[in-house]
Amino acid sequence: MSVRYGLLALLDEAPSHGYQLKTAFERRTGGNWALNIGQVYTTIQRLERDGLVESLDGDPAADDERRAYRITQAGRSQLAAWFDNPVVPEAPARDELTIKVLLAVAAGDIDVSVLLQRQRRASIEQLQAYTRRKAKADPKRDMAFLILLDALIFRTEAEIRWLDACDARIRSVSKEAAR
Amino acid sequence: MTVLVQLDGAARRFGSGHTEVTALHPTSLTVEASELLAVMGPSGSGKTTLLSLVGGLDRPTEGRVVVAGQDVGSLKARDLAILRRRTVGYVFQDLNLLAGLTARENVAIPLELDGRPIGEARAAADAALDSVGLANLADRFPDDLSGGEQQRVAIARALVGGRQILLADEPTGALDSITGESVMRLLRAHCDGGGTAILVTHDAAHAAWADRVVFLRDGRMVDEARAASSPDLTTTAA
Ligand SMILES: Nc1ncnc2c1ncn2[C@@H]1O[C@H](COP(=O)(O)OP(=O)(O)OP(=O)(O)O)[C@@H](O)[C@H]1O
Ligand SMILES: [Mg+2]
């Protein structure tokens, strides 16, 4: 989804070739969202099929590499609608950590607090790695990169808060039981 | 490597007999120059107790706490006060500043208590305020500063006169994330310049500025996270 609209947004600025789109997309998203060129061409073909972009020189026989594309009127209105509407979170993805914790709690013979702490340490170390990158970045020149890092950092932070909450819940129940 | 803070089986118990509470079980830990240490753990796990021992606000009931080469537990009250004025700065979660004094006067307090001439103390205060980006607000009273600005004044006061060891208990508690980040950048810069800081926080994103994160639980250090040397960050677009 994000690649499709990303390419549309770039084509809205200027007609481009696939390879130009690939490098521009990567630059815009902070240099950390690698795209492969094949993915760019398939996405463009779908956009063309849906009438959202069109080939500039209209030669259907030309190679992918030599073809330049521009956005159509329909493409422009779809792009505007995308920017105008919030991203609706999908139903929670099946996520391994949540499932692991739920199963560990149910199992009864696994030390959940040890499991939670091991996970907490791993997540903090991941956060430390992100934060090092953040500390080195230039607030003006690397703004896109910093915004991307913030997304990764806050997601990891949320995970740690959830681990803390699990821990506290389990502790309060086992304290009650000890009474 | 210069060790600036060392706990050697240090413990803190309150009360005795069946009412005894062990806020901190015997704990050993060293913190070196240039190191930023974060302390995390649930409420009541002993974080503030640990920080108070290092800051000389409290003494261990067992073991030793050595700060900048001095054994805090055996220092006379007078020498402890000198250690606090010259070497260790403390930032609390709130109630940091005196309302009747300007930012500059607040920051100058530790130096004036130390008997430095007023002119010299104020000049050092201005330099410290400048280092936290508040040179232009030196004449403001705390009530006329935002929470984030007050916290930066408190950090300037903790560092004024070149104190090496900064202890901070939830200094980012009430701040929004970008303002909190600017406080973390100050702590980081202090450590990168050869100082040491110990930060108590519940906020993982702030703890992640540290080189090392120790986890307390029921008064014991149960685990430790370290910044890895070669982070890999590459993501793929969906
Ligand atoms: N003066 C005291 N007398 C008796 N018990 C105390 C005293 N000071 C602290 N404690 C106890 O020691 C334990 C550790 O307290 P401490 O203040 O270090 O926790 P903390 O980790 O800082 O918690 P929080 O995150 O809530 O600030 C707690 O159980 C507390 O009740
Ligand atoms: Mg506390």
Side-chain angles (χ1 to χ4, degrees):
Chain A
M1 229 35 187
S2 54
V3 176
R4 176 182 168 96
Y5 287 106
L7 299 188
L8 263 189
L10 291 168
L11 287 170
D12 190 34
E13 288 167 25
S16 317
H17 293 87
Y19 197 77
Q20 292 172 316
L21 289 172
K22 167 182 154 63
T23 47
F25 183 91
E26 289 172 349
R27 208 173 47 240
R28 288 294 163 85
T29 53
N32 275 276
W33 235 299
L35 279 188
N36 74 50
I37 190 71
Q39 191 181 5
V40 173
Y41 292 133
T42 16
T43 309
I44 293 177
Q45 279 156 17
R46 288 202 196 114
L47 289 168
E48 192 177 20
R49 181 199 63 200
D50 298 342
L52 305 180
V53 307
E54 61 197 12
S55 173
L56 262 191
D57 40 32
D59 173 9
D63 303 345
D64 279 344
E65 292 107 272
R66 281 194 283 133
R67 289 222 267 169
Y69 291 86
R70 73 170 158 236
I71 194 165
T72 63
Q73 197 47 53
R76 256 183 218 112
S77 39
Q78 235 190 64
L79 180 66
W82 185 62
F83 277 125
D84 282 346
N85 289 293
V87 174
V88 179
E90 291 160 24
R94 254 186 311 181
D95 116 84
E96 183 181 351
L97 177 59
T98 313
I99 293 174
K100 192 192 271 194
V101 171
L102 289 171
L103 292 177
V105 168
D109 59 347
I110 290 174
D111 190 335
V112 184
S113 92
V114 168
L115 184 157
L116 293 172
Q117 177 55 35
R118 206 175 286 138
Q119 186 65 43
R120 192 184 278 121
R121 188 205 313 148
S123 299
I124 294 256
E125 284 176 351
Q126 181 68 62
L127 269 185
Q128 286 176 306
Y130 294 152
T131 305
R132 292 223 150 168
R133 305 283 297 260
K134 174 148 113 176
K136 283 192 213 130
D138 179 279
K140 278 212 187 87
R141 214 189 38 209
D142 305 324
M143 184 151 73
F145 179 51
L146 284 166
I147 288 174
L148 169 67
L149 275 176
D150 282 339
L152 299 171
I153 286 171
F154 289 124
R155 268 172 219 160
T156 312
E157 188 191 19
E159 183 184 288
I160 294 168
R161 290 171 67 132
W162 174 72
L163 293 170
D164 291 345
C166 294
D167 203 8
R169 256 183 222 295
I170 291 167
R171 269 159 74 89
S172 72
V173 170
S174 57
K175 269 189 191 147
E176 296 255 297
R179 261 189 226 149
Chain B
M1 274 291 146
T2 328
V3 172
L4 287 180
V5 174
Q6 182 175 3
L7 272 73
D8 208 351
R12 180 64 167 103
R13 301 185 207 278
F14 294 100
S16 62
H18 68 283
T19 58
E20 188 182 89
V21 175
T22 304
L24 191 68
H25 288 274
T27 297
S28 297
L29 173 75
T30 56
V31 193
E32 291 166 355
S34 300
E35 200 177 14
L36 173 55
L37 179 83
V39 181
M40 298 191 81
S43 191
S45 57
K47 304 181 297 294
T48 298
T49 303
L50 174 77
L51 215 57
S52 312
L53 292 178
V54 176
L57 304 176
D58 194 5
R59 295 178 193 249
T61 45
E62 225 173 282
R64 289 196 321 150
V65 177
V66 182
V67 177
Q70 293 180 282
D71 183 344
V72 171
S74 62
L75 280 183
K76 292 199 193 72
R78 194 178 153 272
D79 295 326
L80 199 57
I82 292 176
L83 181 74
R84 291 217 299 263
R85 289 201 296 264
R86 298 192 184 155
T87 312
V88 187
Y90 210 109
V91 180
F92 302 91
Q93 178 167 6
D94 39 34
L95 303 175
N96 271 299
L97 305 176
L98 298 175
L101 302 180
T102 63
R104 176 186 297 112
E105 289 161 349
N106 265 288
V107 175
I109 291 174
L111 299 180
E112 289 183 29
L113 286 176
D114 207 26
R116 307 263 205 105
I118 291 202
E120 188 189 316
R122 305 226 157 151
D126 280 336
L129 283 168
D130 191 35
S131 74
V132 300
L134 292 181
N136 55 333
L137 300 181
D139 293 313
R140 292 258 192 108
F141 288 93
D143 282 350
D144 304 329
L145 296 169
S146 75
E149 288 161 352
Q150 289 182 35
Q151 227 31 319
R152 277 147 73 196
V153 173
I155 289 174
R157 189 185 55 188
L159 294 178
V160 73
R163 280 184 284 180
Q164 267 189 306
I165 303 173
L166 177 62
L167 306 175
D169 202 344
E170 293 278 359
T172 53
L175 306 180
D176 70 61
S177 57
I178 299 297
T179 314
E181 180 180 312
S182 72
V183 169
M184 291 316 304
R185 284 182 191 273
L186 291 174
L187 299 197
R188 190 66 257 177
H190 169 69
C191 295
D192 292 345
T196 283
I198 304 182
L199 162 77
V200 165
T201 183
H202 284 119
D203 189 330
H206 293 149
W209 285 83
D211 301 291
R212 209 152 41 110
V213 182
V214 298
F215 298 88
L216 291 185
R217 192 180 181 85
D218 302 329
R220 296 175 209 273
M221 236 172 66
V222 293
D223 201 9
E224 178 175 305
R226 281 169 186 276
S229 39
S230 58
D232 182 15
L233 231 198
T234 313
T235 49
T236 38

